Amino acid sequence: MRFRIIHQTEYRYRQPASESVGELRICPQSDASQQVIERKLEMVPRIELEPYSDAFGNYVEFFSIPFRHNLLKVTASALIETRVIAHPLAPLEVPFAKAQGYFNAKLVELYPFSTGSSLVPLGDLIKPLMQSTPDPEQTLAEHCLQLNHWIFRSFTYTPGVTDVNTPVATIIAQRAGVCQDFAHLMLSILRTQGIPSRYVSGYIEATDPTKPEQQLIGAAASHAWVEVAAPDGSWIGFDPTNNQVVGERHVKIAVGRDYADITPVRGTYKGAQDQKLRVLVSLTRRRAFPKTP
């Protein structure tokens, strides 16, 4: 499938900001499941960007505005082609006990995705949610599918009841949240069980034009899901908000330990007292034309 994606972030200041600096993590990745065909970024004010790769391999663009401005506007557009992955769960079709040997051998490499954080707590808070430890003979695929389904069934998608700093304890107590919250909850459970996993930011197509009855949740802005480490070195995506294995209607942007690692626009400014933020995201399916010989 081909998608045209537009992601616009706008900050307006009541009084001019004297300086702004920040980072953008809004460039889609190219990997086995998707390819960036074209991409364009526009900024107001017009400034030069300094790109680099962060510790998790994400494409980051640093900006600095060393002069007065009332408006900061970032408009990113991209044409993305996603691909169907045959048998996406195959790398996880191994018994949990066997996978543990792989995780232990890759302990240093997988350590960032095995530990907790302020947004992904481990231990006593999470254990009451775990009915039992994973069956050593159960495959990782079966276990992750069950957890994905349990979160979808047990928690209600409710915009507005949380924000980016809402702790997992609150999500558990109110049994409601949004995609970011469900991703953090799933990561907390997986990592407490010794399964390395990472947070993913991206976009999702809400309505399939060919199957309008199959609505997906989380398309109003950036979407979030989870990727689980597989013994072959790959990462397999699960979307607990929609009870799905991640597929061609998902577009990946960045990966990290939690949301704090991959905030789409992050920075600071001086001088201005008040700001108004507006974010607009659109994802539209485009016709894929056959390649010419």
Side-chain angles (χ1 to χ4, degrees):
M1 294 181 183
R2 284 194 176 186
F3 297 104
R4 170 64 65 183
I5 300 170
I6 299 176
H7 187 151
Q8 186 177 94
T9 304
E10 180 181 292
Y11 293 91
R12 288 189 178 273
Y13 308 109
R14 181 174 299 178
Q15 299 295 328
S18 59
E19 180 182 2
S20 295
V21 295
E23 297 175 335
L24 308 175
R25 285 175 174 81
I26 51 177
C27 181
Q29 299 186 10
S30 288
D31 57 22
S33 64
Q34 65 184 45
Q35 179 184 4
V36 180
I37 299 172
E38 62 181 44
R39 194 247 181 178
K40 182 179 181 180
L41 181 69
E42 297 179 337
M43 289 199 60
V44 178
R46 293 186 63 182
I47 54 172
E48 292 293 325
L49 295 164
E50 298 180 23
Y52 71 93
S53 293
D54 67 14
F56 306 110
N58 302 309
Y59 185 80
V60 186
E61 292 157 301
F62 172 81
F63 67 86
S64 176
I65 307 173
F67 51 81
R68 290 166 64 85
H69 54 285
N70 289 88
L71 171 69
L72 171 58
K73 185 176 180 180
V74 181
T75 303
S77 63
L79 183 63
I80 308 296
E81 184 171 275
T82 61
R83 307 182 180 100
V84 176
I85 302 297
H87 310 295
L89 294 179
L92 297 180
E93 295 291 352
V94 295
F96 182 80
K98 184 176 181 180
Q100 280 296 109
Y102 164 77
F103 297 150
N104 292 334
K106 296 288 185 177
L107 187 61
V108 174
E109 179 182 333
L110 295 174
Y111 181 78
F113 308 112
S114 303
T115 58
S117 69
S118 61
L119 293 174
V120 181
L122 308 186
D124 293 342
L125 174 68
I126 301 302
K127 287 179 180 178
L129 301 177
M130 299 155 51
Q131 296 181 355
S132 62
T133 57
D135 182 342
E137 297 304 316
Q138 184 182 44
T139 67
L140 272 179
E142 292 170 337
H143 179 69
C144 292
L145 285 172
Q146 288 175 3
L147 177 57
N148 209 43
H149 177 71
W150 178 79
I151 293 174
F152 175 78
R153 176 175 50 83
S154 303
F155 292 78
T156 304
Y157 183 86
T158 312
V161 300
T162 60
D163 59 33
V164 296
N165 297 310
T166 300
V168 164
T170 301
I171 310 307
I172 294 171
Q174 63 190 15
R175 295 279 169 156
V178 292
C179 55
Q180 171 187 293
D181 304 310
F182 303 154
H184 284 148
L185 174 62
M186 188 168 183
L187 290 173
S188 293
I189 296 173
L190 287 169
R191 293 181 192 172
T192 297
Q193 294 174 329
I195 304 172
S197 46
R198 62 190 188 184
Y199 185 98
V200 185
S201 68
Y203 310 107
I204 190 172
E205 181 190 41
T207 304
D208 183 340
T210 65
K211 301 175 182 177
E213 74 283 357
Q214 295 185 7
Q215 291 280 338
L216 296 181
I217 301 170
S222 297
H223 192 48
W225 58 91
V226 167
E227 285 185 340
V228 175
D232 68 351
S234 63
W235 294 85
I236 311 303
F238 294 87
D239 181 352
T241 303
N242 291 289
N243 192 29
Q244 285 197 349
V245 176
V246 170
E248 60 180 338
R249 293 170 68 184
H250 293 76
V251 176
K252 183 192 296 187
I253 300 295
V255 301
R257 293 164 297 183
D258 54 32
Y259 173 80
D261 282 336
I262 53 177
T263 306
V265 181
R266 176 167 56 201
T268 188
Y269 61 90
K270 295 180 181 179
Q273 297 298 316
D274 297 301
Q275 68 173 7
K276 290 186 177 181
L277 169 63
R278 185 178 69 159
V279 179
L280 299 174
V281 174
S282 68
L283 183 148
T284 307
R285 189 182 297 197
R286 295 296 180 91
R287 180 181 175 187
F289 294 97
K291 297 180 180 179
T292 56

